[in-house]
Each structure stands twice: as C-alpha cells, then as structure tokens.
Amino acid sequence: MGAITFHVDAVLFDMDGTLVDSTAGVIGAWETFAETYSGLDIQKILNSAHGVRTVDNLRKYCGLTSEAELEKEAARFEEAIVTSSTANGRKGITILPGVRPIIDELAPGKKNPKPCWAIVTSATRAYASAALEIAGIPIPDAFVTAEDVTQGKPYPDPYLLGAQKCGVSPGKCLVVEDAPSGVASGLTAGCAVIGLITSHTKEQMEVKRPTYLVENLSSVSMKMGANGGIDVVVNID
C-alpha cells in the first residue's frame, strides 16, 4: 500500500509493548506470584493479561477482592517486574524498535499547557515512571496511569482522559497500541489507532480492526507540525 500521511492534534501512546518491552520482568513477576497463589497457569495468563491493569488481572487470576489488598499486591507485582527483569540473565526493560527517533522528535511537545502527546498506560504510576526512566523515555505532562481511571482498557476511559489532558477532541487523536484490549479502548474512545504486532499475533490484532496495523514503530515516523499537532507517516507493507 505504500506510505499514508495524515495530521493529528495529539498522539496517545500505550507504554508496555508499544514504547518499552518489559516481557522478561512480567514473566518473572508472575513466577514470583505463583509462589503465593497456587495453580496459576502463567502461559495462559501471559496470552490474555497484557494491556490490562494489574489490579484487574490480580482480581481475575488471584481471586483478590479487597481493594486494599489489590492495591498492595499490585504494587508488589509491579515492583517485581522491575527487580526480576534483569534476574537470571534476563534482558531487562528495553526500548522497542522505532521508538527513539519518534520520542526525540516529539519530546519538546510533552509540556503543558497543551501537550501534543501523552502516555496512557494500564500500569501504576510508580511502575510506569520507573520503566520509562530505565528506557530513557521522558514522562510527558499528559500521563494517564492505572490509578487515574475507575475502568481500564478495554473501556474507553483511559484514552478519553488522555485526550482531555492534551486539551483536544478524541476524534483528533491517534492511539498507538500493541494489545487487543488497548485497540478496543482507543477505537471506542473515537480515536484512530495504529496497532503494533509486538506482543500479539497479527491475527489477534486484526480481530480488533485497528485503523492501521504495522510490525512496530519502525514503520512509523512523526514530526511536530508547523502550526501545532503532529504529522504522521505510516508505511504499510
């Protein structure tokens, strides 16, 4: 199909699987939790839990119901992602292909009063901040984490809030996502969505019908618009 060029007022990035790869740490964290919660099928969880808030996953797979316990265990889980990501020779939390040139270009647009990009993640603020620091990605003023919404992805709430923090209409935003739940969230919010095939299969992503679907952000370029917003080029195979 070649290159598709368009303009948006703001880009709303997911974090895990979109900007950074924390797979090594996530596997380690579930292995740690399997010591406390017997009977966890880690492979089954890994196939379906990505892109969902930790509290929602712990409620589903560990049977936790107390909000206080969920909050405490979510913090422990996400701390384990960081600490276990480099244990036993694991590669750690790393920046994904194509991300660095995009972030370097957009970095000046991260500040209020009207940022032109945001990070919208299902992770807690503490973990997301740590992961971004490890990967060398600046935290934008428009930053949405698990604590900021009562309903996480696949509900539209996270991306609606991301657009609001950028001061723009959701319909003039582009979401960048690697998880089916995140694609559903962005589309339901009324945003265009670039789906990435970094953590799920092409078939799994196609089911959710993202606006565009590419391997990773190496197929995308972004530049600050002369009059605001962001000019986007998507190279479709």
Side-chain angles (χ1 to χ4, degrees):
M1 288 179 63
I4 299 171
T5 302
F6 55 94
H7 180 86
V8 294
D9 286 352
V11 177
L12 313 177
F13 295 97
D14 172 53
M15 186 185 76
D16 276 313
T18 296
L19 301 177
V20 305
D21 180 4
S22 62
T23 304
V26 171
I27 292 171
W30 280 116
E31 288 174 351
T32 298
F33 265 57
E35 297 170 6
T36 304
Y37 302 96
S38 61
L40 290 180
D41 185 336
I42 295 176
Q43 192 53 55
K44 180 180 178 181
I45 293 171
L46 292 172
N47 288 338
S48 60
H50 186 79
V52 179
R53 294 188 306 171
T54 299
V55 289
D56 295 329
N57 281 327
L58 294 180
R59 187 181 287 113
K60 180 176 181 179
Y61 297 111
C62 298
L64 297 175
T65 55
S66 163
E67 291 301 321
E69 189 69 12
L70 278 165
E71 185 176 335
K72 184 182 81 170
E73 287 293 79
R76 181 168 78 93
F77 184 92
E78 296 193 349
E79 182 180 341
I81 295 176
V82 176
T83 56
S84 68
S85 67
T86 54
N88 303 317
R90 293 189 176 112
K91 67 177 183 178
I93 295 171
T94 58
I95 191 166
L96 282 162
V99 173
R100 176 57 61 204
I102 288 175
I103 293 300
D104 287 348
E105 166 66 24
L106 300 187
K110 73 184 182 71
K111 294 185 178 295
N112 281 326
K114 195 172 181 181
C116 64
W117 64 282
I119 292 176
V120 180
T121 175
S122 296
T124 62
R125 186 165 294 264
Y127 163 63
S129 300
L132 291 168
E133 182 178 0
I134 290 168
I137 296 172
I139 298 173
D141 287 348
F143 189 34
V144 178
T145 60
E147 302 95 327
D148 296 323
V149 294
T150 55
Q151 293 189 123
K153 304 170 188 178
Y155 293 97
D157 306 39
Y159 284 114
L160 289 173
L161 182 56
Q164 180 184 323
K165 283 178 175 281
C166 289
V168 300
S169 163
K172 295 183 178 180
C173 289
L174 172 68
V175 164
V176 185
E177 263 285 355
D178 71 300
S181 61
V183 172
S185 175
L187 291 174
T188 306
C191 307
V193 178
I194 294 179
L196 307 177
I197 311 169
T198 54
S199 63
H200 293 76
T201 65
K202 182 180 181 181
E203 291 72 24
Q204 287 174 313
M205 294 297 286
E206 284 177 333
V207 167
K208 296 300 180 181
R209 296 176 175 258
T211 316
Y212 311 100
L213 185 61
V214 296
E215 197 72 26
N216 56 49
L217 280 172
S218 295
S219 297
V220 180
S221 63
M222 299 184 186
K223 292 202 173 292
M224 302 272 285
N227 298 309
I230 299 173
D231 297 322
V232 182
V233 179
V234 182
N235 293 294
I236 305 292
D237 294 333

